[in-house]
Amino acid sequence: VEVKYKLKSGAGRFPNIWLLNHTQTGVPARPELDIMETGTGPNWGDGVNPIRIKATSWTDTGISAGNTDPNNQTNQSAQFVPATPLVNNFHTAGALLDPKNSKVTYYCDGTAFATHTIDSAAGPLFLNFGEWFDGDFNVGVPADPADLVSKEPIEFDYWRVWEQSYPVDTGGGDTGGGDTGGGDTGGGD
């Protein structure tokens, strides 16, 4: 998955790009892959502009993993500061999901900055774009509703999804493999 986006300034914003599996019922739907999240609060921004992004992989360790607590969950996360400011510049956020090896690698502007081990990527994953307000990414930097109405939301140039193919094992060793492309499934260029 790759998404090209541009963030806007404004206190209290929480823009995000997620892959979610929310077809399950009764337990937290996992995995949840947060490709890009940021805010304007401490550790994320300067009060008005976001500076760094975060990628998080959530896995279900609740009922479906044999635990009696349905909300038991674990995560791995990493942060990245792009070379150019997040506000008013286009950036790409991406996730290369490798379910065969139970891994996901996160990218920003073509740079891999984290690889996480995930329990599984079974079932469909849905691409979700959002812009919430306040929350953990904006502690101490509340949103001003009047300011939010006058500001533009997160801007998207495109989003793409590819399917990775794996070589057929004929017993002769590693045959390479690679990306079949899969085409542009949305957003346009």
Side-chain angles (χ1 to χ4, degrees), residues 3 13 20 44 49 61 66 76 91 94 112 123 125 133 139 148 155 183:
V3 178
R13 289 175 177 258
L20 304 170
W44 301 106
N49 299 304
T61 54
Q76 304 165 73
H91 294 274
L125 291 173
F133 301 99
V139 172
L148 298 175
E155 181 180 341

Side-chain angles (χ1 to χ4, degrees), residues 45-117:
D46 63 10
V48 177
N49 299 304
I51 295 172
R52 73 183 73 241
I53 64 168
K54 180 179 182 181
T56 306
S57 301
W58 295 90
T59 55
D60 179 16
T61 54
I63 289 175
S64 64
N67 190 317
T68 57
D69 178 3
N71 296 311
N72 195 21
Q73 53 194 333
T74 60
N75 73 73
Q76 304 165 73
S77 65
Q79 299 178 19
F80 184 81
V81 178
T84 59
L86 283 167
V87 172
N88 297 325
N89 294 294
F90 276 104
H91 294 274
T92 57
L96 177 60
L97 186 60
D98 182 356
K100 182 177 178 181
N101 295 303
S102 300
K103 303 246 184 241
V104 60
T105 301
Y106 294 99
Y107 295 84
C108 180
D109 296 333
T111 300
F113 68 93
T115 298
H116 298 163
T117 300

Side-chain angles (χ1 to χ4, degrees), residues 6-70:
K6 183 191 301 185
L7 300 181
K8 306 299 180 174
S9 65
R13 289 175 177 258
F14 171 35
N16 51 74
I17 302 168
W18 299 334
L19 281 173
L20 304 170
N21 177 355
H22 286 299
T23 59
Q24 303 170 17
T25 58
V27 297
R30 302 292 184 241
E32 174 183 322
L33 306 176
D34 301 341
I35 299 170
M36 186 283 297
E37 297 179 309
T38 191
T40 57
N43 301 320
W44 301 106
D46 63 10
V48 177
N49 299 304
I51 295 172
R52 73 183 73 241
I53 64 168
K54 180 179 182 181
T56 306
S57 301
W58 295 90
T59 55
D60 179 16
T61 54
I63 289 175
S64 64
N67 190 317
T68 57
D69 178 3

